[in-house]
Amino acid sequence: MNSMRKVKEKKPISISRINLLFFLVFMLFASIIIRLAFVQLVEGEEYKELAASNRTKTIPFTAPRGLIKDASHEVLVNNKTVWTITFQIQEERVQDFEQIADILAEILAKSEDDKLKVKKDVLNSMDVGPGYRASKYIPRIIKVDVDDKIRAYIEEHKSTVPGVEVIPDQMRNYIYNDFMAQVLGYSRSIPNDELTYYQALGYKLTDRVGRYGLEKQYESVLHGKDGEYIVEVNSDYEKIAQKAFSNPISGNNIILTIDKEFQERVEKALEEKITEIKNRPVKPMVDVEKGMAVVLNPKTGAVLAMANYPRFDPNWFNGTITQELYTNYIMPYETNGTISGRYPIGSTAKPLTVLVGLEEDIITINTVINDTGRIQYDRKANGDPIYMKNYGNHVYGTLTLQKALQKSSNIFMAEIALRMRKQFGINETMEKMRYYDRMFGLGEKTGVDLLEELPGNISSAMNYVQHSIGQHDTFTAMQLAQYVSTIANNGYRMEPYLVQAIEEGSVTGISGKIIYHHEPKVLNKAEVSLKNLKAVQEGMHMVTQLGGTAYYPLTGLPIEVAAKTGTAQSGIRDKDDHAVFIGYAPYEDPEIAFAIIIPYGGTGGATAGPIAKEIIEAYLEIYHED
Amino acid sequence: MDLSKKYIKYLDYWVILIIGTLAIFSYFGISSAKPDSDVAVRQLIWYGLGFIIMFVILLIDYEILSQYAYIFYGIGIVLLLGLLFFVDPVKGITGWYKIAGVKFQPSELMKIFTILALARYLNKREEKPFESFIELFPIFLFIGAPLLLILLQPDLGTGLVFIAIMLSMMLVYGVKMKHFVIIGGLAGIGALILTMLYHFKEDIFHKIIAEYQWGRLTSFLNPSIDPLGTGYQLNQSLIAIGSGQLVGVGLYQGKQGKNNWVPESHTDFIFSVIAEEHGFIGASLLILLFFFLIYRIIRIGIISKDRYGTYIAAGLIGMWVFTIFENIGMTISLMPITGIPLPFISYGGSSLLTNFIAIGVILNIGMRRKPLMFE
């Protein structure tokens, strides 16, 4: 009875409340189902895409850069695949820079290194501000070329060094170190202000680009197309599985006109001569620092040698360049002096002066001028006469134009200049002289395939008499070489070129097919009569004969050579003259034309002449082995 | 104390079947979240232990549980107080005792003890209505004491479970609606004071609610505001669940949990893993199982032979419904993130055994029900 009462009492209140509770439960579960349906069925597709991008990472695989080969397809520059540690500031992750540097220093420091110093270097390379050296979004290169052990260690401990990656990197390998350094140039990371430009071209921020020389000029040819891995990663960004892979496409190879052996001989000739004259016991030429030489094929414009001394090792640019290394061993020699070093050309201007005289009917082929050893061409402010004299105060007597060139008479040239002035006036004389200069490539860019080429430096002074003996405007060795080539090539001015062909690159390094072949290009034909030109050529030939200024240095060569020496005043009181030398050979049917400048090297014949001889000998040995 | 034929006949086999199915979900959920570990197998062992405990409880008439209810409650309070004396020097007050390498969370058991004690108290009142709001204070004391101790740990999620238990039991007892309105009003005033503090005295505010808790509580409103901070878990959970779509990516094919994108994927966020692998079909099947379980418990509450059983059923419903709603809700950005496990699914011994004790108690009530009129 008691239990019956309980039942009666219980039903009316609790059951209705339990029904209310059940209704609330139903509402809560219904809301979960509705929300779940929305997330999975409505937004599902969107989340699926997010999941994919969330979990996959694209790792670029840098394509090898194209090779640089010499004329006989010998590889001069190739690549080395190395592991490189990079660091990227990631604002979306927590990064303790100090701790990361600590860990990296621990890994990188060799037993003899001071860990604190290594850490400081690492932190410096990480470039984490304040005041970033490179944009925050560029990965920093911490260490190039680390071994597999270091790489494996970092891969295993990636979560402790957020932002650090070990990537396969292509390091440029300049096989012969400083060989042809200024011409080959170097590649380095993209400079800050060109980032957007290169990014638009599809470059990665860590890519290296050609920054000087052929590396820069042929960047678009040498740069390959990167491949990539697409990998799946976990929340620590560790690789779990590889999903896709696309092969990198190697950059194309460039084949130079230069033969490695010949270039090496020219470089060596410069080095030996400069070392000798700097260090000789009697009258050492202490001001000599560098020298440059250019050898062209006058008929095609092909550059056979482009030599600088001293040089640097472009391999240095693969690593970190200290201020000390840069200031002492790179900066003074970084520029390619053959195309950017401008000097007065001295007496090497004389063949052209004679040619101008002939062309402008100032003299004829048969004109004879009496060289009295001095000629007055101007007056000082106080009325004293200014005289032009010959080198060494020589008196040459009656001179034909050929003899004038052979002896390098200043008087003969001054006479032409003075006669021109008398006929045309000073302005027109100057104009005419420069007109012929440009016709032969002096004072203009020669068009060689290097971006660093400078035109000549044109003086504003009206020194037409000084101009006739090459003491006026300044030109580069490259321009001189083109000038002498044009004389040798009977007035056809050819465009010089370093790259004769482009070859399809291959990852394996096996030669691909030739996709471009350079055709020699005539820039212009000098408007001079062949008869006059021949007369000048004869004069230059006589320079190398007994009695000529280049007889002694070139004696003993089995072929006939045409040349002209130059000893250009440097214009600096305490310093020696610049030694200049131009020429071509063989005289009858020229195959090479060359120009040599040794700044502060003294007389052209004595200093540069032996280098010219070595160039001709090397040419004969290498190109005429048979 | 014997299991007579009648009891075996009245045992709710549906509940046991549901728990068995949940065990399957739990095993596959945990093994996909942690494929390289033996936690899934360990969970099955806990399940085995759970079933044993459940059957042991079935042997004890729940009337006896009623007699000892206050003693259990007292033991629970002592265990919670004891935590204050084992303060971890690094983490501060923790919610567990570590015994022989196994973590034991007294707050889990305390839920059951509180339900038993409050049910006993309500039963003793014999349906006498609470005339004034002040009269409700014993209920507030029963709930408030453990709640306070748990909030000290600080474990907001479990604390909220106690409030859900209280509200559910009050509702079933028949507490007047106007008193619920007063509770709602008081909660509203409390929230208003906190809001004021947040805006004008943030330092005091964060003394009451720790900064990380506040972040977790608010990030669900807009998980993408801080995708790598407090919103990270939620974002990754949503990505996991959403990419499951209708049919799921397949068993062991899920990537979000396995590769640690979803944190705590074998415990608090296990629902994300299940929803990713089994899609809407699998996830809603799991939710329906829970719903069916709740339905069976409600049914037991209705047919129980006395009010004590009804109140216990109400308390358990409050406990489980809130826990399930909160846990699944946080994975789909319906509720703020709090660290409470999904009953019967998440890995964890304490929680699983507590739930088995609760199942034992409710089956006990159901099996010892009054016979139906026509029997």
Side-chain angles (χ1 to χ4, degrees), chain A residues 259-304:
Chain A
D259 178 89
K260 186 209 149 213
E261 208 186 327
F262 181 61
Q263 165 85 12
E264 222 164 39
R265 287 280 292 270
V266 178
E267 288 182 352
K268 199 152 172 258
L270 281 177
E271 179 176 351
E272 279 175 355
K273 192 71 200 168
I274 290 169
T275 315
E276 180 213 315
I277 58 177
K278 264 172 89 90
N279 301 308
R280 63 188 175 196
V282 183
K283 281 180 75 182
M285 309 189 89
V286 287
D287 295 329
V288 178
E289 275 172 1
K290 44 176 113 178
M292 38 248 146
V294 176
V295 184
L296 300 176
N297 177 336
K299 288 181 182 144
T300 61
V303 179
L304 302 178

Side-chain angles (χ1 to χ4, degrees), chain A residues 492-565:
Chain A
Y492 290 94
R493 186 164 77 99
M494 305 303 293
E495 185 180 68
Y497 61 98
L498 281 154
V499 171
Q500 58 164 307
I502 294 171
E503 184 184 72
E504 224 169 41
S506 68
V507 177
T508 53
I510 299 164
S511 297
K513 68 171 198 284
I514 300 286
I515 51 176
Y516 164 83
H517 194 91
H518 184 85
E519 291 298 327
K521 187 177 160 196
V522 180
L523 291 171
N524 64 279
K525 159 86 173 71
E527 297 161 32
V528 293
S529 78
L530 193 58
K531 198 181 77 181
N532 291 341
L533 197 55
K534 287 278 179 212
V536 170
Q537 288 172 353
E538 278 165 29
M540 289 178 72
H541 180 228
M542 279 170 66
V543 172
T544 68
Q545 304 304 306
L546 187 63
T549 53
Y551 171 71
Y552 288 108
L554 295 188
T555 185
L557 284 172
I559 56 166
E560 295 297 313
V561 181
K564 184 70 197 80
T565 57

Side-chain angles (χ1 to χ4, degrees), chain B residues 18-37:
Chain B
I18 291 166
I19 303 296
T21 318
L22 291 177
I24 296 169
F25 267 103
S26 179
Y27 174 79
F28 287 113
I30 294 169
S31 58
S32 2
K34 289 275 174 279
D36 306 322
S37 150

Side-chain angles (χ1 to χ4, degrees), chain B residues 90-202:
Chain B
V90 183
K91 293 173 186 157
I93 301 169
T94 56
W96 56 80
Y97 292 103
K98 211 164 182 180
I99 304 158
V102 180
K103 279 180 190 170
F104 165 66
Q105 271 179 284
S107 60
E108 287 290 333
L109 265 183
M110 193 60 201
K111 289 185 227 168
I112 311 287
F113 295 161
T114 306
I115 291 168
L116 292 178
L118 188 55
R120 179 181 160 150
Y121 166 75
L122 291 174
N123 192 38
K124 286 278 172 206
R125 277 185 67 94
E126 298 198 319
E127 297 163 54
K128 202 175 98 194
F130 293 98
E131 292 301 338
S132 70
F133 189 73
I134 305 299
E135 278 181 55
L136 287 166
F137 82 91
I139 298 178
F140 296 147
L141 276 182
F142 272 112
I143 297 294
L147 177 63
L148 185 71
L149 290 170
I150 286 162
L151 286 181
L152 281 176
Q153 291 180 5
D155 186 351
L156 192 61
T158 309
L160 290 172
V161 175
F162 279 82
I163 291 176
I165 290 169
M166 177 186 81
L167 292 176
S168 173
M169 291 176 80
M170 282 166 68
L171 185 69
V172 171
Y173 183 83
V175 170
K176 287 178 176 155
M177 279 305 163
K178 80 171 182 207
H179 292 155
F180 281 105
V181 173
I182 293 170
I183 292 172
L186 286 175
I189 290 166
L192 189 70
I193 291 169
L194 284 177
T195 313
M196 303 281 271
L197 279 176
Y198 180 70
H199 282 288
F200 301 110
K201 291 270 182 230
E202 216 176 322

